[in-house]
Amino acid sequence: MSNAEPATNNVTKRDIRAAAIRYMFMACNTFNYENQQAPAVVFGLNKVLRKIHKKDEDYKASLNNHFNYFNTTTWMANLLLGASVAMEQKDGIQSKDAVQAFKTGMMGPLAGVGDTLVWVLYPTIMGSIAGYMGLQGNPTGAIIWLLLNIVFFFFRIKLFDVGHTSGLKLITALGDRLNIFTEAASIMGLTVVGALIPAVVKMNIQLKYQTGEVTLPIQTEILDKIMPALLPAVLTLVVYKLIGSKKLSLTNIIFLIIALALVCSYFGILGV
Amino acid sequence: MEIIQAILIVALAFWMVLDQQGFVITTWFPSIIGMIAGFIMGDVPTAMVIAGTFQLMALGVANIGGSSVPNYGLATLVGIYVAIRTTGDIENAKAIALAVGVPVGMLGIQLDVLGKILNSYVSHAAQKALNEGKFAKMNRIFWIGPLIFGLTTAIPTLLCVIFGDKIVKVLLDVVPKWFTDGLSIAGSMLPVVGIALLLQFMPVKKYLTMLLIGFVISAYLGLPILGIAILGFAFAYYFFTQKMNSTPAAAAAGNGNTSVEGDEFDE
């Protein structure tokens, strides 16, 4: 291992940052059904690993190892890959199996929490705010979202560095905290989603109830008196049950709603 | 001017998939893509109304674990381009965007699957180059991956940019008013799909209270969403701090990385 020792020292902060950015750019852009994100990992790490593994044979072995199946939330992968680089720096090519075991062992748990936070809760909260403002022609929400993404971009570069310096210990400890964090984010998410139903789902009954001289607009005089946003609430429940029953695909449900709207428009039941 | 706009829209289509799968800055979420498309087309308000409609439909549609989902960003982009090219009226624009965008967005699923299948070959070719010791060649091969994914959205956008507004203009002359009205109504109902889908993933039964509180404040009091989001954050913060204190193990483990976690709170 004499040749691995000096290699350890010439990996700079800049190399680590470059590896982070290279991986972040490629992430899912070479995604395939066989080894999923693995090519992106190789693309991201190949420059820094070349500095670590001076011998061509070691370098090939290391990269072939990273060509193995890899898939997790790309934001979280930065932590794992940072720690992997640290392991290879410390033990050279002998760390190969440990790196592989570490990556496959951690990618599942991190994806579970990471996908919920990054791909479900974050877009839900920001999407609700930006989408609602958008309906009024206002881009403010979208601008805030864009700015937050830029903040997270730098945060993720930092995550790679954190993984590299603090390594395995931290990542295992993070698990518990992240679970509570996810629950808390769900609480915020559900409050927003509850508010969204009356705010964005709109149905206006055009029919009027007529007896003799009196005309009674059904929407404003009957439905709204029972409960505001009664129809959107009912529609949400129906679609929720439909999706849950798995009898109709999502695409079919979308086309069903469009068909329903067209029929109601034709007979003047619903208005714009 | 129109040519430049068309080129920028296609370029945005190419970029948005790469960013969504990589840097996650401009993403392909309808709100942000719609805003950029609005600036390109010179009509931000109309673009935002269309983007808002698609954004709310897209809630809960997460492409996690390598699954393929309707590309609502693509739907937004072509919807906005064709709608602004053909009409100046917002309700009409919404109807047109929906009619053009939904099918194209659905097509996005198939194209995404195709892109992922083709990328198997990229991975194989790169690994072969590695084992032959051609390291620079391996690096170049990787770039084919993003090229493939970029084309999966750029090609349908290009077709819509070339043919979309002409076809829609012809159709608008023959399509009756109840039909475009019906599409507008559908646009106001479709956010329900995103919401209902989202509720499948979230712990609704456990935190039904929060859903009801949000509903009541919005329906009866009419508070804007941002205000309700802050209220939701207040509940979440209370839960988080209480829970952290009551689980000593987690709290102890957490002490070492407070600074890391702190950043995420800004959300």
Side-chain angles (χ1 to χ4, degrees):
Chain A
M1 292 320 299
S2 55
N3 63 335
E5 288 306 319
T8 312
N9 302 325
N10 63 17
V11 172
T12 60
K13 280 264 179 214
R14 244 176 103 184
D15 295 327
I16 293 299
R17 196 166 61 229
I21 293 174
R22 279 173 73 86
Y23 168 71
M24 281 159 70
F25 171 78
M26 208 49 108
C28 291
N29 280 321
T30 47
F31 193 98
N32 65 82
Y33 291 116
E34 282 173 46
N35 53 9
Q36 309 213 335
Q37 292 173 19
V41 173
V42 176
F43 179 82
L45 301 187
N46 67 17
K47 298 268 183 213
V48 69
L49 289 179
R50 178 80 261 205
K51 279 198 157 183
I52 294 170
H53 303 296
K54 295 286 187 219
K55 276 198 255 164
D56 274 7
E57 286 317 306
D58 287 357
Y59 182 58
K60 280 185 196 171
S62 165
L63 288 194
N64 271 320
N65 191 38
H66 284 293
F67 260 114
N68 285 328
Y69 177 93
F70 183 74
N71 190 23
T72 188
T73 313
T74 53
W75 295 28
M76 301 291 170
N78 283 10
L79 272 175
L80 292 189
L81 298 180
S84 302
V85 169
M87 286 162 84
E88 295 200 32
Q89 250 177 293
K90 191 160 161 281
D91 295 325
I93 195 61
Q94 285 170 346
S95 67
K96 197 180 81 166
D97 295 331
V99 166
Q100 177 62 14
F102 168 68
K103 272 167 63 192
T104 41
M106 287 309 296
M107 68 187 182
L110 278 184
V113 180
D115 282 350
T116 313
L117 282 177
V118 173
W119 294 123
V120 178
L121 291 171
Y122 177 48
T124 298
I125 294 168
M126 288 321 296
S128 304
I129 296 168
Y132 174 74
M133 286 180 166
L135 288 184
Q136 295 149 347
N138 184 347
T140 314
I143 292 170
I144 296 174
W145 194 352
L146 185 64
L147 293 179
L148 271 180
N149 282 343
I150 294 172
V151 172
F152 279 125
F153 179 78
F154 289 105
F155 174 66
R156 283 154 60 205
I157 296 179
K158 177 94 181 120
L159 272 187
F160 199 100
D161 199 37
V162 169
H164 184 245
T165 42
S166 11
L168 325 182
K169 206 170 58 220
L170 168 104
I171 297 169
T172 7
L174 208 61
D176 293 338
R177 263 173 82 89
L178 275 177
N179 276 331
I180 300 177
F181 186 75
T182 309
E183 286 260 299
S186 299
I187 289 179
M188 180 174 173
L190 277 170
T191 315
V192 174
V193 172
L196 267 188
I197 299 168
V200 302
V201 183
K202 301 283 181 204
M203 293 170 84
N204 265 313
I205 299 279
Q206 300 288 302
L207 300 177
K208 291 181 171 66
Y209 179 72
Q210 201 148 10
T211 44
E213 297 287 288
V214 189
T215 48
L216 206 59
I218 291 179
Q219 181 68 48
T220 50
E221 289 302 319
I222 301 173
L223 294 178
D224 287 353
K225 289 275 158 69
I226 302 172
M227 187 176 104
L230 177 65
L231 288 180
V234 172
L235 183 68
T236 310
L237 192 67
V238 170
V239 176
Y240 174 74
K241 290 286 176 201
L242 263 183
I243 296 175
S245 76
K246 296 200 190 314
K247 285 196 182 102
L248 282 176
S249 75
L250 211 54
T251 314
N252 284 336
I253 294 175
I254 289 176
F255 284 121
L256 195 69
I257 292 177
I258 294 177
L260 180 73
L262 288 175
V263 171
C264 288
S265 169
Y266 183 77
F267 290 106
I269 300 169
L270 288 171
V272 179
Chain B
M1 187 61 193
E2 293 205 355
I3 300 272
I4 296 172
Q5 285 177 334
I7 292 170
L8 286 176
I9 290 287
V10 176
L12 179 58
F14 189 92
W15 169 251
M16 89 183 165
V17 63
L18 300 193
D19 185 85
Q20 174 74 10
Q21 302 194 116
F23 283 155
V24 197
I25 292 174
T26 58
T27 69
W28 68 20
F29 291 117
S31 285
I32 301 177
I33 287 302
M35 178 182 63
I36 300 171
F39 280 122
I40 294 173
M41 301 302 292
D43 186 353
V44 176
T46 307
M48 288 317 296
V49 171
I50 294 169
T53 307
F54 280 116
Q55 179 63 58
L56 295 165
M57 273 174 81
L59 286 180
V61 177
N63 54 332
I64 49 185
S67 58
S68 295
V69 294
N71 192 332
Y72 287 102
L74 183 60
T76 310
L77 193 59
V78 299
I80 287 173
Y81 180 84
V82 175
I84 293 180
R85 272 278 174 278
T86 41
T87 178
D89 173 68
I90 281 209
E91 279 307 318
N92 267 342
K94 217 167 106 181
I96 293 169
L98 211 62
V100 178
V102 169
V104 177
M106 297 296 173
L107 181 69
I109 302 177
Q110 275 75 39
L111 292 170
D112 184 61
V113 171
L114 184 67
K116 285 170 181 167
I117 291 171
L118 290 177
N119 259 291
S120 292
Y121 299 102
V122 175
S123 177
H124 285 301
Q127 196 163 7
K128 188 159 166 271
L130 168 70
N131 288 324
E132 286 165 357
K134 295 171 183 159
F135 303 136
K137 185 183 172 196
M138 173 187 79
N139 243 320
R140 282 197 301 276
I141 290 173
F142 282 126
W143 288 97
I144 301 172
L147 183 69
I148 292 171
F149 278 113
L151 289 178
T152 62
T153 46
I155 291 174
T157 308
L158 183 68
L159 293 177
C160 287
V161 162
I162 296 173
F163 302 111
D165 55 332
K166 294 181 193 70
I167 295 171
V168 170
K169 265 180 193 150
V170 175
L171 283 179
L172 275 187
D173 290 337
V174 292
V175 166
K177 176 141 179 26
W178 64 264
F179 191 84
T180 45
D181 276 358
L183 285 179
S184 281
I185 296 169
S188 308
M189 287 165 72
L190 284 173
V192 82
V193 178
I195 293 171
L197 183 62
L198 196 59
L199 292 177
Q200 312 280 339
F201 302 131
M202 296 179 88
V204 188
K205 298 221 167 78
K206 194 169 173 191
Y207 297 118
L208 184 65
T209 322
M210 307 318 298
L211 192 73
L212 293 177
I213 290 176
F215 181 85
V216 167
I217 294 174
S218 174
Y220 286 86
L221 303 179
L223 205 68
I225 298 286
L226 192 57
I228 298 171
I230 294 171
L231 194 69
F233 177 77
F235 291 130
Y237 184 77
Y238 181 76
F239 172 87
F240 186 75
T241 46
Q242 290 298 307
K243 204 72 172 189
M244 288 307 284
N245 289 337
S246 62
T247 36
N255 280 340
N257 51 62
T258 320
S259 61
V260 184
E261 195 64 24
D263 286 31
E264 267 185 284
F265 256 129
D266 292 346
E267 191 184 335

